[in-house]
Amino acid sequence: LVHVLISGVSVAGPVLARGLIAHGHRVTMVERAAAPRPGGQAIDVRGTALDVLARLGLLDRARAMRTTMKGVSVVNIDGKELWRSEEETLSGGRFDAGDLEILRDDLAALLLEGVRDDAELIYGDSIAAIEQTDDAAQVQLTHGGTRRFDLVIGADGINSKVRRLIFADATELRALGTGLAVFTAPNVLALHDWQIAYREGQGGFLLYTARNDQELRIAVGFPLTQDETWPTSLAEQKSMVLQRSARFGWEMPRLLKYLEAAPDFYFGPVAQVRLDHWSSGRVGLVGDAAYCPSPFSGQGTSLALVGAFVLAHEIVLQPDNPRAAFARYHERMKHYVELNQALAFIDAEADGKQQRLDDAKWAIRLD
Ligand SMILES: Cc1cc2nc3c(=O)[nH]c(=O)nc-3n(C[C@H](O)[C@H](O)[C@H](O)COP(=O)(O)OP(=O)(O)OC[C@H]3O[C@@H](n4cnc5c(N)ncnc54)[C@H](O)[C@@H]3O)c2cc1C
């Protein structure tokens, strides 16, 4: 049996932990945030990723938590409706596609449930350094001292610290020209199960009701060139969002007033992670850390669910041979990742987009 350290407790981390614990392996998880993080968009679980939830025995509960939006109005910058649909939303796609749309934080909480009791969970800490020997990885935590593990897995998202530690000089982030911010406000528009979207070039806004129409999840996108400096402090990030959103008319100035005191805030460049390898020795990557496809693909959460499930399976088959387990994981996932990353580059209105998505979401089978 092996002792595995997982960095990041969101979507990929808990699924991997579940798979390992189920076979008696020891898991320690370290998460930078002080507690489970709220917020994020309504995200989609599609194709083989639904099979993962079913294998974990969570599909029925996840379906019961799904979003209840009935459609979308696409508006101009002043809020005038240009068209509407009751057959799809922009966040979740067509209602008849069989996919599941759920709030990111609801899914993360569900996945974490069974892990809480069986894994060692360390919040408010992070990996500072990893040193590998033939038979172990010595990990230095920022606050928690030095510890020894058999394997270390980075499930720590698009800006993965583990990735930077093992592939120091790789330029693996491919920015797609847009910045994205998401926050929650009260439903002051009194919308009922509805979504409103404004799109322009590399930006726009998308907002929708959540949690029985109590909340609005508000996403704004804005053009962002690759060489622009990306603010790191929360205050600067929020001020950048306000500045880039100032041109929006309609109710947006009123809604943006809720940004300052919002209970959650997600902010980042829309980007993909492209790597030839997802592991080095006893250290591997999973989910966005390894192959973030970007929100434009709508497949980040599905890749994280499937990737974590497959990786757990391969480690369980050969716990003492991490190199071989990582190689099998890469081999099984590569084509699926490529097809899903490619979705980010297809225009939303392009012919055949739905078919490409249907092909990509099923492009891997669980053993
Ligand atoms: C709060 C939040 C809001 C999000 N909102 C959106 C959204 O609106 N739209 C969208 O497309 N995607 C969003 N995402 C990303 C989305 O969850 C992922 O694309 C997808 O689900 C893949 O999940 P993941 O587990 O691989 O990575 P993530 O969900 O990104 O999780 C990574 C986890 O690692 C933690 N972490 C980061 N660095 C370290 C470190 N150095 N040490 C320890 N832990 C670390 C993070 O706090 C996070 O909990 C959001 C993620 C988070 C955490």
Side-chain angles (χ1 to χ4, degrees), residues 8 10-12 31-32 37 40-41 104 126 156 182 266 288 301:
S10 179
V11 173
E31 161 64 48
R32 190 176 53 181
R37 292 177 59 182
Q41 298 200 48
R104 190 210 68 92
S126 179
D156 44 4
V182 186
Y266 174 75
D288 275 6
T301 301

Side-chain angles (χ1 to χ4, degrees), residues 217-235:
R217 293 278 162 112
I218 302 169
V220 296
F222 44 88
L224 189 85
T225 58
Q226 188 121 26
D227 35 62
E228 258 179 294
T229 331
W230 193 242
T232 47
S233 83
L234 197 60

Side-chain angles (χ1 to χ4, degrees), residues 236-255:
E236 284 173 316
Q237 292 176 346
K238 287 189 173 179
S239 107
M240 181 183 216
V241 174
L242 289 177
Q243 193 198 341
R244 303 286 169 108
S245 307
R247 69 188 186 290
F248 296 144
W250 181 58
E251 296 274 10
M252 285 306 283
R254 179 180 169 205
L255 295 175

Side-chain angles (χ1 to χ4, degrees), residues 132-251:
Q132 299 197 52
T133 59
D134 277 350
D135 60 352
Q138 298 284 350
V139 173
Q140 196 187 322
L141 297 173
T142 305
H143 304 298
T146 302
R147 310 238 334 233
R148 179 194 178 283
F149 297 92
D150 298 301
L151 301 176
V152 179
I153 310 292
D156 44 4
I158 185 166
N159 296 309
S160 170
K161 179 73 191 275
V162 173
R163 187 179 72 231
R164 279 179 279 135
L165 287 173
I166 59 173
F167 299 124
D169 52 1
T171 49
E172 67 287 292
L173 266 193
R174 175 163 175 190
L176 303 184
T178 300
L180 174 73
V182 186
F183 64 100
T184 296
N187 184 6
V188 288
L189 304 183
L191 285 179
H192 177 54
D193 281 343
W194 203 255
Q195 183 165 104
I196 295 187
Y198 164 67
R199 292 189 290 193
E200 56 171 27
Q202 295 283 12
F205 59 77
L206 173 69
L207 56 90
Y208 43 86
T209 52
R211 303 204 197 288
N212 294 321
D213 293 335
Q214 297 294 304
E215 295 179 359
L216 289 180
R217 293 278 162 112
I218 302 169
V220 296
F222 44 88
L224 189 85
T225 58
Q226 188 121 26
D227 35 62
E228 258 179 294
T229 331
W230 193 242
T232 47
S233 83
L234 197 60
E236 284 173 316
Q237 292 176 346
K238 287 189 173 179
S239 107
M240 181 183 216
V241 174
L242 289 177
Q243 193 198 341
R244 303 286 169 108
S245 307
R247 69 188 186 290
F248 296 144
W250 181 58
E251 296 274 10

